[in-house]
């Protein structure tokens, strides 16, 4: 009989030695761990939408029946992609859908990377890129952001050329600092001989009225002039569908065609597709929630800025704020907040020493957070 160690020896070595992705925990798990009932937990650790989805989503889910649930979903997610194309102002053939933007990042890795190929990543940023890079055997060239979380454009450009990088990953607004790219960055990188993955998971929070997500200047429209651009988005944040896992993206019809061809055939389940379509039918109401979050982000920043033992990063264009803790280990403050049922995201990562990220919640949640910080920080 084989030993467990011998079985592990058969696994890909890069998987056995890789650093795992640390996901956040859902309410029931948190509640059991903290000994605090779910309704008392202030969950500001995963940039979810505190207002939840549109009521039309729950109606659409309740209406699912025997013509949907027992039947495999449409592998082309045709109705959803058609609706998205109309809202974005691009051709349906340019739109891709996935089980979260996470799946679409992975589909791009499958499409473009053979083991040993190079990607350029600019941390601190979303951890999924490094995680998937490890799984796919990608060589990651790290060009760190500066102290103001800005991209070192000259260094990125030089690295693309020197390493013949296949892809540059730009997260904008960047998770965890919330800053968008400085003007001209995207245009300059698009001139290079490389794929530019623009992860706009939080773009809905950059301008009022969902203008950046669906307005006439939305960046999915740039794909028509830039065949090396792929834009990824999600329904997890502005539409409040994180639990149902729906993301979308835009690329040239050729790239989008390959992405649709190599994804898992039934990646968008019937509930997720119905929910995403219902969200697109209720944009004014979802926009009202986004507007409340934008107002709350500014109020939360003003409150945090008054706390002398914290330094909140100004200018977030996303639904979270990065905070540096000045008077104690951030891990300690995070743990003390958690004891009170207030969850924030702490990263023990280079470039984020003693920082944590706080998602924008409801006004009541901000009040609880600020009261606890006044006591603890
Ligand atoms: C920058 C960024 N991209 C993508 C995602 C993944 O989004 P989804 O829930 O659609 O998989 C997240 C989730 O937090 C994110 O922060």
């Amino acid at each position: 009989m084989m030993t467990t160690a011998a079985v592990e020896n058969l696994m890909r070595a890069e998987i056995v030695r890789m650093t795992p992705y640390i996901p956040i925990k859902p309410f029931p798990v948190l509640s059991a761990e903290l000994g605090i009932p779910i309704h008392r937990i202030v969950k500001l650790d995963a940039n979810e939408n505190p207002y939840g989805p549109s009521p039309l989503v729950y109606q659409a889910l309740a209406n699912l029946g025997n013509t949907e649930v027992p039947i495999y979903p449409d592998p082309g997610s045709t109705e959803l992609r058609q609706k998205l194309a109309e809202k974005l102002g691009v051709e349906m053939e340019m739109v891709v859908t996935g089980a979260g933007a996470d799946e679409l990042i992975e589909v791009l890795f499958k499409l473009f990377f053979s083991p040993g190929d190079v990607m350029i990543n600019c941390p601190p940023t979303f951890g999924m890129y490094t995680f998937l890079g490890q799984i796919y055997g990608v060589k990651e060239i790290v060009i760190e952001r500066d102290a103001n979380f800005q991209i070192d454009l000259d260094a990125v450009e030089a690295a693309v050329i020197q390493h013949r990088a296949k892809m540059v990953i730009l997260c904008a607004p960047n998770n965890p600092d919330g800053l968008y790219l400085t003007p001209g960055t995207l245009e300059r990188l698009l001139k290079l001989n490389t794929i530019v993955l623009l992860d706009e998971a939080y773009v809905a929070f950059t301008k009022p009225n969902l203008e950046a997500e669906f307005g006439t200047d939305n960046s999915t429209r740039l794909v028509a002039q830039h065949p090396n651009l792929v834009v990824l988005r999600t329904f997890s944040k502005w539409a409040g569908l994180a639990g149902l896992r729906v993301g979308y993206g835009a690329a040239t019809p050729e790239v989008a065609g390959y992405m649709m061809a190599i994804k898992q055939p039934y990646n968008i389940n019937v509930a997720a597709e119905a929910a995403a379509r219902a969200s697109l039918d209720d944009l004014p109401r979802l926009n009202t929630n986004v507007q409340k979050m934008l107002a709350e982000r500014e109020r939360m920043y003003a409150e945090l800025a008054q706390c002398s033992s914290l330094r909140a990063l100004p200018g977030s264009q996303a639904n979270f704020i990065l905070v540096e803790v000045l008077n104690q280990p951030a891990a300690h403050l995070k743990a003390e907040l958690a004891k009170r049922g207030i969850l924030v995201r702490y990263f023990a990562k280079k470039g984020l020493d003693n920082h944590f990220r706080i998602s924008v919640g409801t006004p009541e949640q901000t009040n609880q957070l600020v009261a606890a910080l006044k006591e603890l920080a």
Side-chain angles (χ1 to χ4, degrees), residues 193-256:
N193 205 4
T194 192
I195 301 298
V196 176
L197 190 180
L198 180 63
D199 180 344
E200 287 195 332
Y202 300 98
V203 83
F205 303 101
T206 62
K207 288 185 192 165
N209 301 320
L210 296 176
E211 190 58 33
E213 189 87 31
F214 295 119
T216 48
D217 277 348
N218 90 75
S219 47
T220 64
R221 296 198 183 185
L222 294 174
V223 167
Q225 297 97 52
H226 299 283
N228 56 337
L229 174 64
V230 182
V231 181
L232 297 186
R233 308 257 184 92
T234 178
F235 283 78
S236 295
K237 316 295 177 181
W238 62 271
L241 296 188
L244 287 172
R245 316 300 301 123
V246 199
Y248 74 92
T252 59
E254 291 72 23
V255 170

Side-chain angles (χ1 to χ4, degrees), residues 21 46-47 98-105 125-129 171-175 199-202 232-237 241-243 245-248 320 357:
Y21 183 78
N47 306 334
D102 281 346
E103 189 202 8
L104 294 173
I105 302 170
T125 190
F126 185 42
M128 188 57 61
Y129 318 129
C171 182
N174 189 43
N175 178 1
D199 180 344
E200 287 195 332
Y202 300 98
L232 297 186
R233 308 257 184 92
T234 178
F235 283 78
S236 295
K237 316 295 177 181
L241 296 188
R245 316 300 301 123
V246 199
Y248 74 92
F320 50 82
R357 188 195 67 199

